[in-house]
């Protein structure tokens, strides 16, 4: 008897130590496997090359563009030597001839541009003088033979880059670029330029209180309409930020998600009944329906998007249909699983009262399913808003298209950050909305 | 005697108010249904108007492109094995993007979810901060981050990987923190009483309870991320999506490569889908 216990003990001990060994193996094996995988990824994705290819100056322009903008004062060094002043150098942001912001003074061929207190750039003819505080007077003169640069020191400091064809001076206050064809002076400002009103609007340059004051004053700036509607008009049809178009794009994106999700749910519902074991007695119908769902899901939104955009052309409808097809598969699978898990007791109870089949479905099945279906549909509505952004970039509809275009042109980064903020707000809003609807329609906790 | 009188007089009231309530409910349901159908139809008409080709015009053409593709593919059937081998590396890249992103997202998601769960957090005051961080990460579509990173870093798979990983942190972090909330906290208290550090408490007290659920969610995410990585390749760069974009741009008569990519992508997604649902069933079955 004693020996048996001892044998059991040693068995137990062996078992426990084996378990410990296995746990140790897992505790060290899994992390080292993950580490190995990451090493493999680092090699195959060429992490080392990224540091070379990555352009940090691009990141800085991107970042500085998101919170600031620049106004260009340009003097042509050929012909009459006219000055043009334009916000971000864009045609839409150009000041009308003769009008200048208060930090630029033009006097025929000469001009003085104040970049910051103490930083004044003087144009005398084609020659540019810039007395940099703490450094000294810099003189740049574009000539036909090349660009002449006169510095107070012998060697060129690192905030100036100079060659025969181009001179760039960059200080904290602004930037100057001189080539043979033109001289550019850039002054940086915080904020997003002309977000509310462009230069041609009478409201441009007004402070917030002035704008509010004129909105409610009876003195009309434009005799054709009230100040308030003029203001709305100038804002809504702002040619640079295109608020109307962007609002439409956001709406289109949400529309794609809504039509796709709801359409998929409506189509998937009857099909799910056909593929659920307890509702569809025919084996063939069930099997083929399931394969259809698998196919729809497996083909993936990307392929559906490409195939459909061939038939329907670019636009939100194509995106909605692509979402619809993929999600019909997903919903079909989920709904039929939910149908198979229906509690039979409730149906039996209804049957015991002498209910007909239709009534059994209505009062026995539907009340069990509606909460499950609704919460799945609402979850997908939120997630599809995000998908619709990507699909929009492919089919050419919605905010996704605007975003990709703004990034491809690669110069209006303030617009890119504006779109990003709008997209995040849109997704968060849909998240909140679907959570609220879920609470209202189903009740209780999420 | 008096109570009976009250009951008798109250009964018709009760029935009336019940019927009125039912009627009101029916009315609300009807209004809701009408609004819903109106939204659906109005939305469809709007989307149809803003689309380049209309729905009814496009519907007969829906099989044109697949037919064209099948035609091209059937003519060049002999080249298929070569194409398959050609595209395998980029398919592997797509899978790797998804795999690495899921791993990074899951590991970071574990930490952020533990930090955002009441009762487990290391710094309880920062719980709302971590939750907001997860919300923002979740709300950010991958394409946004990917495109910005492609601009900075140039092409390749890394921007897509980072973009998907960031979104995965937010998505998995939320699901993980829901799992954490259901974990039994007694083992954590026991470990605390013997002086375990926060990391030890989590590693030995919480993780063994939640690992099956974590893995199941991570597998589901991996499946989603493969789709995302394919679509990001198409919009940005890297992987099979990029090859698909190139294959599509060659135009009519040369869709055989696109057909091969379609098949590869389809098979991969179906395979991963089946494997992950099998594994998830096993994992969740184990934990029950």
């Amino acid at each position: 008897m004693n020996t048996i216990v001892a044998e059991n003990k040693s068995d137990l001990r062996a078992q426990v130590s084996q378990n410990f060994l296995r746990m140790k193996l897992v505790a060290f094996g899994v992390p080292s496997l993950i580490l190995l995988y990451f090493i493999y990824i680092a090699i195959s994705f060429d992490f080392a090359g990224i540091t070379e290819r990555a352009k940090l100056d691009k990141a800085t322009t991107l970042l500085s563009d998101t919170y600031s903008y620049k106004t260009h004062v340009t003097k042509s060094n050929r012909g009459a030597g006219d000055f043009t002043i334009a916000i971000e150098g864009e045609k839409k942001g150009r000041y009308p001839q003769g009008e200048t912001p208060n930090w630029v003074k033009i006097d025929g061929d000469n001009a003085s541009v104040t970049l910051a207190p103490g930083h004044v750039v003087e144009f005398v003819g084609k020659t540019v003088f810039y007395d940099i505080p703490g450094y000294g007077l810099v003189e740049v003169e574009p000539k036909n033979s090349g660009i002449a640069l006169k510095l107070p020191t012998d060697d060129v400091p690192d905030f100036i880059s100079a060659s025969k064809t181009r001179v760039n001076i960059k200080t904290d206050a602004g930037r100057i670029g001189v080539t043979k064809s033109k001289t550019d002076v850039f002054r940086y400002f915080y904020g997003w330029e002309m977000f509310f009103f462009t230069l041609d609007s009478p409201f441009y340059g007004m402070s917030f209180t002035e704008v509010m004051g004129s909105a409610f004053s009876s003195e009309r700036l434009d005799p054709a309409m009230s100040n308030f509607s003029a203001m709305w008009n100038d804002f809504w049809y702002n040619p640079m930020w295109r608020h109307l178009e962007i609002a439409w794009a956001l709406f289109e994106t949400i529309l794609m998600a809504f039509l796709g999700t709801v359409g998929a749910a409506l189509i998937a519902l009857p099909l799910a009944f056909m593929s659920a074991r307890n509702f569809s007695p025919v084996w063939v119908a069930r099997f083929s329906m399931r394969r259809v769902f698998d196919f729809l899901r497996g083909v993936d939104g990307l392929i559906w998007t490409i195939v459909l955009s061939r038939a329907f052309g670019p636009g939100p409808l194509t995106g909605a249909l692509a979402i619809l097809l993929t999600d019909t598969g997903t919903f079909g699978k989920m709904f039929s699983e939910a149908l198979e898990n229906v509690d039979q007791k409730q149906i039996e109870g209804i049957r015991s009262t002498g209910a007909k089949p239709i009534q059994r479905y209505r009062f026995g099945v539907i009340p069990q399913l509606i909460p499950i279906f609704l919460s799945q549909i609402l979850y997908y509505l939120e997630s599809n808003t995000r998908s619709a952004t990507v699909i929009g970039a492919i089919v050419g509809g919605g905010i996704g298209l605007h975003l990709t275009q703004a990034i491809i042109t690669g110069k209006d980064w303030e617009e890119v950050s504006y779109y990003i903020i709008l997209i995040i707000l849109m997704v968060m809003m849909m998240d909140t909305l679907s959570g609220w609807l879920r609470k209202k329609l189903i009740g209780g906790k999420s | 005697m008096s109570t009976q009188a009250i009951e008798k007089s109250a009964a018709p009231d009760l029935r009336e108010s019940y019927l009125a309530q039912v009627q009101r409910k029916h009315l609300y349901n009807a209004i809701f249904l009408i609004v819903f159908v109106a939204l659906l139809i109005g939305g469809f008409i709007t989307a149809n108007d803003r689309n380049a080709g209309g729905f009814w015009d496009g519907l007969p053409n829906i099989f044109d492109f697949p037919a064209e593709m099948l035609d091209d593919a059937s003519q060049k059937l002999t080249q298929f094995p070569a194409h398959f081998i050609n595209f395998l590396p980029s398919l592997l890249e797509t899978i790797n993007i998804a795999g690495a992103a899921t791993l990074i997202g899951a590991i970071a998601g574990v930490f952020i979810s533990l930090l955002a769960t009441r009762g487990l957090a290391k710094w309880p005051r920062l719980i709302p901060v971590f939750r907001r961080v997860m919300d923002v990460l979740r709300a950010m579509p991958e394409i946004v981050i990917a495109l910005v990173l492609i601009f900075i870093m140039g092409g390749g798979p890394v921007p897509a990987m980072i973009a998907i990983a960031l979104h995965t942190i937010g998505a998995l972090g939320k699901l993980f923190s829901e799992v954490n909330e259901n974990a039994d906290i007694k083992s954590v208290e026991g470990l605390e009483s013997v002086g375990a550090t926060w990391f030890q408490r989590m590693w030995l007290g919480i993780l063994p309870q939640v690992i099956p659920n974590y893995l199941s969610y991570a597998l589901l995410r991996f499946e989603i991320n493969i789709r995302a990585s394919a679509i990001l390749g198409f919009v940005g760069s890297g992987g099979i999506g990029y090859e698909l974009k190139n294959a599509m741009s060659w135009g009519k008569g040369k869709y055989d490569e696109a057909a091969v990519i379609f098949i590869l992508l389809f098979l991969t997604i179906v395979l991963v889908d089946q494997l992950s649902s099998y594994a998830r069933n096993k994992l969740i079955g184990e934990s029950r």
Side-chain angles (χ1 to χ4, degrees):
Chain A
M1 175 111 175
N2 257 346
T3 51
I4 293 171
V5 171
E7 257 172 39
N8 269 352
K9 260 186 189 160
S10 72
D11 256 17
L12 202 65
R13 183 179 289 162
Q15 219 175 348
V16 166
S17 56
Q18 210 176 0
N19 273 351
F20 266 114
L21 197 70
R22 186 155 13 112
M23 276 170 71
K24 270 184 203 162
L25 215 63
V26 170
F28 288 100
V30 171
S32 50
L33 272 181
I34 291 175
L35 190 69
L36 271 179
Y37 182 68
F38 278 134
I39 291 171
Y40 158 68
I41 289 293
I43 294 167
S44 75
F45 285 4
D46 191 21
F47 277 17
I50 293 257
T51 45
E52 282 168 33
R53 267 181 288 137
K55 300 220 170 56
L56 282 180
D57 53 320
K58 279 186 171 177
T60 28
T61 41
L62 191 159
L63 212 64
S64 71
D65 252 21
T66 56
Y67 64 83
S68 66
Y69 67 94
K70 57 188 189 301
T71 303
H72 301 211
V73 179
T74 309
K75 183 185 171 69
S76 165
N77 288 335
R78 296 209 170 103
D82 285 336
F83 285 99
T84 44
I85 306 167
I87 292 172
E88 282 286 340
E90 282 192 45
K91 216 174 177 180
K92 292 169 197 153
R94 197 179 281 168
Y95 282 83
Q97 203 60 257
E99 247 180 67
T100 59
N102 56 19
W103 47 277
V104 179
K105 289 200 173 56
I106 296 176
D107 178 22
D109 215 16
N110 306 333
S112 87
V113 180
T114 313
L115 294 179
H119 287 261
V120 182
V121 179
E122 299 275 358
F123 285 88
V124 178
K126 285 178 186 174
T127 318
V128 185
F129 296 95
Y130 183 10
D131 193 356
I132 301 170
Y135 179 64
L137 185 71
V138 178
E139 185 186 334
V140 191
E141 189 185 0
K143 294 176 188 165
N144 281 338
S145 54
I147 292 162
L149 176 70
K150 275 186 211 157
L151 297 172
T153 50
D154 284 339
D155 38 301
V156 181
D158 50 359
F159 60 88
I160 297 178
S161 71
S163 71
K164 245 187 138 34
T165 53
R166 167 181 292 276
V167 169
N168 270 313
I169 306 171
K170 200 175 176 189
T171 66
D172 296 334
R175 195 152 65 85
I176 300 173
V178 185
T179 63
K180 268 194 244 178
S181 63
K182 62 172 183 173
T183 304
D184 274 314
V185 179
F186 304 115
R187 180 175 169 177
Y188 290 87
F189 293 93
Y190 288 113
W192 289 346
E193 81 283 4
M194 301 186 283
F195 182 75
F196 295 103
F197 306 113
T198 45
L199 284 174
D200 49 2
S201 161
F203 302 104
Y204 179 78
M206 283 189 185
S207 71
F208 181 72
T209 43
E210 278 176 317
V211 168
M212 280 295 126
S214 69
F216 297 108
S217 85
S218 52
E219 243 176 85
R220 288 189 169 185
L221 288 167
D222 180 354
M225 51 183 141
S226 77
N227 276 350
F228 190 77
S229 58
M231 202 177 282
W232 176 251
N233 201 48
D234 284 352
F235 168 72
W236 201 229
Y237 297 98
N238 182 332
M240 264 188 117
W241 288 86
R242 297 172 302 175
H243 295 292
L244 173 70
E245 249 176 81
I246 300 304
W248 260 111
L250 286 173
F251 173 72
E252 268 183 9
T253 307
I254 294 174
L255 188 66
M256 277 193 252
F258 172 74
L259 282 182
T261 315
V262 172
L266 290 180
I267 295 172
L269 191 61
L271 297 183
F273 274 95
M274 280 167 68
S275 68
R277 204 178 302 127
N278 42 353
F279 291 94
S280 160
V282 190
W283 178 82
V284 179
R286 235 160 47 210
F287 182 80
S288 50
M289 221 50 251
R290 293 214 166 164
R291 293 294 84 77
V292 168
F293 291 154
D294 283 346
F295 178 75
L296 286 175
R297 247 153 24 94
V299 168
D300 190 39
L302 172 63
I303 300 176
W304 285 127
T305 310
I306 293 170
V307 171
L308 290 173
S309 58
R310 292 278 157 153
F312 298 106
L317 185 74
T318 313
L321 288 175
I323 293 174
L324 184 144
L325 280 177
T326 323
D327 280 3
T328 302
T330 318
F331 283 147
K333 187 177 177 227
M334 291 195 309
F335 287 178
S336 68
E337 277 166 9
L339 281 171
E340 283 178 0
N341 290 329
V342 156
D343 190 359
Q344 289 293 332
K345 281 183 199 132
Q346 201 167 332
I347 304 172
E348 273 166 33
I350 304 277
R351 194 205 297 258
S352 72
T353 64
K356 292 195 242 355
I358 292 282
Q359 288 167 325
R360 289 210 292 274
Y361 283 135
R362 168 65 186 82
F363 295 103
V365 181
I366 297 286
Q368 289 189 46
L369 294 174
I370 279 189
I372 303 173
F373 288 1
L374 272 181
S375 78
Q376 280 168 349
I377 292 168
L378 286 172
Y379 169 74
Y380 268 84
L381 183 65
E382 187 258 332
S383 135
N384 279 339
T385 316
R386 244 177 292 113
S387 316
T389 317
V390 188
I391 288 177
I394 300 174
V395 298
I399 193 81
L401 180 72
H402 284 273
L403 180 74
T404 39
Q405 278 176 346
I407 288 179
I408 287 166
T409 51
K411 84 186 160 59
D412 300 322
W413 286 100
E414 65 281 356
E415 278 173 29
V416 173
S417 36
Y418 176 50
Y419 299 155
I420 291 176
I421 291 168
L422 285 179
I423 290 172
I424 292 173
L425 287 180
M426 174 183 73
V427 175
M428 283 185 155
M429 189 201 83
M430 291 302 281
D431 196 16
T432 321
L433 181 76
S434 82
W436 178 82
L437 270 177
R438 189 177 304 158
K439 225 183 254 165
K440 277 270 150 185
L441 295 174
I442 303 166
K445 229 173 66 170
S446 64
Chain B
M1 173 67 185
S2 65
T3 49
Q4 219 166 5
I6 288 169
E7 262 172 25
K8 263 183 190 164
S9 67
D13 271 7
L14 205 65
R15 179 188 290 164
E16 246 166 58
S17 74
Y18 174 74
L19 282 179
Q21 209 180 333
V22 167
Q23 231 161 19
R24 211 177 319 131
K25 209 179 156 197
H26 279 225
L27 186 72
Y28 283 160
N29 279 347
I31 291 173
F32 182 76
L33 200 70
I34 290 168
V35 168
F36 178 74
V37 170
L39 269 179
L40 204 60
I41 294 173
F44 175 77
I45 291 170
T46 318
N48 200 21
D49 284 349
R50 294 184 74 82
N51 216 59
F55 178 70
W56 305 112
D57 296 338
L59 206 55
N61 306 334
I62 199 163
F63 290 111
D64 283 6
F65 178 64
E68 232 172 70
M69 199 173 234
L70 269 182
D71 197 36
D72 287 357
S74 60
Q75 278 172 20
K76 296 177 185 165
L77 215 53
T78 47
Q79 294 175 17
F80 263 38
H83 284 333
F84 270 118
I85 291 164
N86 265 342
F87 290 126
L88 270 185
S90 49
L91 179 67
L92 189 70
E93 189 168 88
T94 293
I95 296 173
N96 273 335
I97 290 171
T102 313
L103 260 180
I104 296 171
I107 292 169
V110 168
F111 279 102
I112 201 168
S113 75
L114 289 172
L115 290 172
T117 311
R118 230 170 276 121
L120 301 179
K122 190 169 167 65
W123 306 286
R125 275 155 188 272
L126 292 182
I127 288 177
V129 177
F130 286 117
R131 293 213 167 159
R132 283 296 90 70
V133 169
M134 286 197 289
D135 285 347
V136 171
L137 286 176
R138 222 154 18 94
M140 229 177 315
E142 290 110 341
I143 185 180
V144 170
I145 310 167
L147 286 176
V148 170
L149 287 179
I150 287 169
F151 176 76
I152 296 172
M153 297 198 205
V158 180
M161 184 189 79
I162 296 175
I164 299 176
L166 285 178
H167 180 78
T168 306
I169 294 173
L172 283 182
K174 186 185 180 219
L175 293 171
F176 286 178
S177 72
E178 277 164 16
V179 174
N180 295 342
E181 268 163 21
N182 295 326
D184 188 2
I185 206 159
K186 280 187 198 125
S187 48
V188 176
E189 283 163 2
L191 283 163
E192 195 168 12
S193 71
V194 296
T197 62
W198 180 80
F199 186 80
Q200 286 169 330
R201 294 202 297 272
M202 295 302 123
W203 183 255
L204 302 168
I206 294 293
L207 282 192
Q209 298 181 48
V210 292
I211 274 275
N213 287 332
Y214 277 9
L215 280 178
S216 143
Y217 280 134
L219 278 172
L220 194 65
R221 199 68 225 175
F222 177 57
E223 201 186 308
I224 298 169
N225 282 350
I226 283 191
R227 296 164 189 261
S229 116
I231 209 165
L232 275 189
F234 193 88
V235 182
S237 66
I240 196 104
Y242 186 64
E243 299 287 343
L244 179 59
K245 190 175 163 189
N246 287 340
M248 291 297 300
S249 65
W250 286 335
K252 216 172 172 177
K254 286 179 183 164
Y255 284 134
D256 50 317
E257 289 194 0
V260 170
I261 295 172
F262 276 16
I263 294 169
L264 277 175
L265 205 53
F266 176 73
L267 289 180
T268 311
I269 288 171
V270 170
L271 187 75
V272 171
D273 187 287
Q274 297 291 332
L275 279 180
S276 96
S277 81
Y278 172 78
R280 268 183 293 135
N281 279 339
K282 279 221 126 180
L283 279 169
I284 298 295
E286 221 171 73
S287 74
R288 265 184 199 155

